Amino acid sequence: MADKTLKDVLTPDLGIDHPVPIAEIFVSVGDRVAKEDPLLSLESEKAVMDIPAPFEGRVAEILVEADQEIESGALLMRLEADGPSADEGASGEEKSLPAEFPELPSPAAPPEREEPVKVPEDREETTGGDHLSHASPSVRLYARELGVDLSLLAGTGPKNRIRREDVQNYVKTLASRGSVSAGTGLPAFPYSDPEQFGPVREENLTGIQKVSAAHLHSSWVNIPHVTHYEKADITGLEAWRKELNGLEKRKGDKARKYTTLAFVVKALTAAVEEFPRFNAVLAPEGDRVIFREYVNVGIAVDTPRGLLVPVIRDTDLKGIGEIADEIVQWAARGREGKLKPGDMQGAGITVTNLGGIGGTAFTPIINPPETAILGLSRAAVEPVWNGTEFEPRLMLPLSLSYDHRVIDGALAAAFAARLAKFIGDLRQTLL
């Protein structure tokens, strides 16, 4: 009989510095799994990833549970494998990375934890800081964003650890009592149970939607948003786009799909190179602006799990065709739930496109640490005066939200006007 060896399966390096929840566990103790079979899935910020089996074997122990928050390097489960299989697969400590993430380094051992400090449940509501509370750095940051004093909370995690849910429940309690709403300094809005007026239906937010909600709320509260509206004449661009797609159809399966968004991304790239404050970030201290010397553009993608924003890197070094290809690829990966956390980091400015749905204008919310976001609405034919008469032109509405701490109104108006010209005629980007 072949020797059996227990091997650990660890969380891979997630590329982020805070815990993520386990979305689902696919196996049970005693199940046989093949190499690369998914064991469980993690739901990080705006991404869901599967953790595969590092080798063939039997599930001996499962050391985590659904909805539990874990960090890089955390022990997930142990697999029992025959000697040869174990040698081939090494251990989870060496080869626990999912197939989709070959570039990530091997996870390090979990860091040593400080001794937990028990938080009394009957503690008076005073402002004493959160330095004595047992919580991860990400939970501390989340609490600070919401204006919550962690010293007032009793943790429900292992060894009284304060979890993200504890912070959320505390805020809900304050809101239900009519206390000051967290993070805003404003009175909380009154809540009235709708069920008392008729039948209701509940639907839980996905993990991505919960993360997005907190992120967007923090952005709206902390950043002075201003939205500037402009229109770009895309009559010539649309004719050119259709001509290119007509030529591409002759290539069959290898045909490239040009979308209006691809041209907008290229025009936006030229505009931020001319107006670098739209590709900058305000330093945490608020006393200086840091200018990026590269151009990465985020593109918002609507998926069944929520809004995702993958990043097209180095758009200043890519042609419209390459950008068009990446837009299609990122959109597909987003809908399939295959985006990694690193795929959605590093943007200097974001484009969100509602043109396929409708509307004439809206106020997109800035995605920190970016200082601006461009919204696209549905293009429509309008009469435009050419100096002697009105003529029908296809006009694309632009909604540009910007951080007024970094960008003033005159600069935003000049940027939007220049961007509209670039979109209308990309030849101007070569001048």
Side-chain angles (χ1 to χ4, degrees):
M1 180 177 179
D3 294 334
K4 300 292 183 180
T5 305
L6 289 180
K7 296 290 182 180
D8 295 343
V9 177
L10 305 180
T11 310
D13 186 343
L14 302 174
I16 49 181
D17 59 357
H18 55 80
V20 297
I22 295 175
E24 185 176 0
I25 298 176
F26 304 123
V27 296
S28 303
V29 173
D31 288 351
R32 295 286 304 180
V33 295
K35 185 177 180 180
E36 303 298 339
D37 279 354
L39 300 176
L40 52 81
S41 64
L42 305 179
E43 191 163 30
S44 64
E45 291 185 357
K46 297 189 176 182
V48 178
M49 65 188 80
D50 290 342
I51 305 299
F55 48 80
E56 182 178 357
R58 184 182 66 86
V59 179
E61 295 180 87
I62 299 177
L63 304 173
V64 293
E65 57 186 21
D67 297 326
Q68 178 180 337
E69 290 189 342
I70 59 174
E71 299 177 334
S72 299
L75 179 60
L76 301 174
M77 59 183 70
R78 292 188 175 95
L79 299 185
E80 180 184 87
D82 296 336
S85 296
D87 292 338
E88 178 187 351
S91 69
E93 301 165 15
E94 299 175 0
K95 295 188 68 176
S96 62
L97 293 179
E100 294 86 356
F101 308 102
E103 71 279 8
L104 295 178
S106 298
E112 294 184 2
R113 304 292 182 191
E114 61 184 41
E115 287 299 316
V117 178
K118 185 172 180 60
V119 182
E121 294 185 5
D122 58 352
R123 171 171 285 185
E124 294 292 329
E125 293 194 11
T126 59
T127 56
D130 62 13
H131 62 283
L132 295 178
S133 304
H134 186 49
S136 68
S138 65
V139 172
R140 293 179 187 277
L141 176 61
Y142 181 62
R144 285 196 295 272
E145 290 176 344
L146 296 181
V148 173
D149 182 356
L150 289 182
S151 66
L152 305 178
L153 277 66
T156 60
K159 299 183 179 180
N160 296 322
R161 184 186 185 94
I162 297 177
R163 305 174 62 188
R164 189 182 183 94
E165 290 80 2
D166 297 326
V167 179
Q168 294 171 339
N169 291 334
Y170 180 79
V171 172
K172 291 177 183 177
T173 300
L174 291 180
S176 66
R177 297 202 309 235
S179 303
V180 172
S181 62
T184 65
L186 300 174
F189 58 83
Y191 175 81
S192 178
D193 187 356
E195 194 170 4
Q196 63 181 309
F197 304 107
V200 299
R201 177 176 61 87
E202 291 190 2
E203 181 178 295
N204 292 329
L205 295 177
T206 66
I208 290 174
Q209 290 171 334
K210 291 178 182 177
V211 171
S212 297
H215 187 70
L216 293 172
H217 176 255
S218 175
S219 173
W220 188 254
V221 169
N222 290 290
I223 297 177
H225 283 62
V226 180
T227 304
H228 180 91
Y229 302 103
E230 185 61 84
K231 289 183 179 180
D233 185 340
I234 61 169
T235 308
L237 184 151
E238 184 65 7
W240 182 27
R241 186 186 71 83
K242 290 180 177 179
E243 180 182 353
L244 290 175
N245 282 333
L247 295 174
E248 288 290 328
K249 285 184 180 180
R250 302 175 185 177
K251 299 179 181 179
D253 295 338
K254 296 182 179 180
R256 171 179 285 158
K257 182 180 180 181
Y258 287 94
T259 62
T260 303
L261 180 58
F263 295 89
V264 171
V265 169
K266 193 60 182 177
L268 182 63
T269 300
V272 299
E273 288 183 308
E274 189 170 322
F275 295 81
R277 277 188 176 256
F278 286 83
N279 192 31
V281 57
L282 183 66
E285 299 80 8
D287 60 353
R288 64 194 188 280
V289 176
I290 302 170
F291 294 92
R292 298 176 177 88
E293 295 186 350
Y294 53 88
V295 184
N296 294 342
V297 178
I299 52 170
V301 176
D302 190 22
T303 76
R305 301 186 68 86
L307 191 67
L308 306 177
V309 188
V311 178
I312 303 177
R313 303 186 185 279
D314 300 318
T315 54
D316 54 324
L317 305 178
K318 294 175 179 175
I320 297 174
E322 294 175 281
I323 293 173
D325 290 341
E326 287 200 36
I327 289 174
V328 173
Q329 293 165 7
W330 285 129
R333 293 185 66 178
R335 289 190 294 268
E336 295 167 4
K338 294 182 178 180
L339 289 172
K340 302 177 289 185
D343 296 335
M344 294 172 284
Q345 298 173 354
I349 189 169
T350 292
V351 181
T352 177
N353 182 14
L354 300 182
I357 302 173
T360 58
F362 62 105
T363 300
I365 298 178
I366 298 166
N367 185 26
E370 300 165 31
T371 56
I373 181 172
L374 177 66
L376 307 180
S377 297
R378 174 174 290 176
V381 176
E382 300 178 5
V384 177
W385 182 255
N386 63 12
T388 58
E389 62 181 353
F390 285 101
E391 61 177 326
R393 306 295 294 180
L394 183 62
M395 306 300 292
L396 175 66
L398 309 177
S399 302
L400 177 71
S401 292
Y402 58 92
D403 185 340
H404 211 341
R405 297 172 300 176
V406 180
I407 300 164
D408 60 34
L411 184 64
F415 174 86
R418 190 64 167 157
L419 173 61
K421 288 184 178 297
F422 284 158
I423 294 175
D425 186 359
L426 282 173
R427 291 175 298 180
Q428 296 191 43
T429 64
L430 303 176
L431 300 179

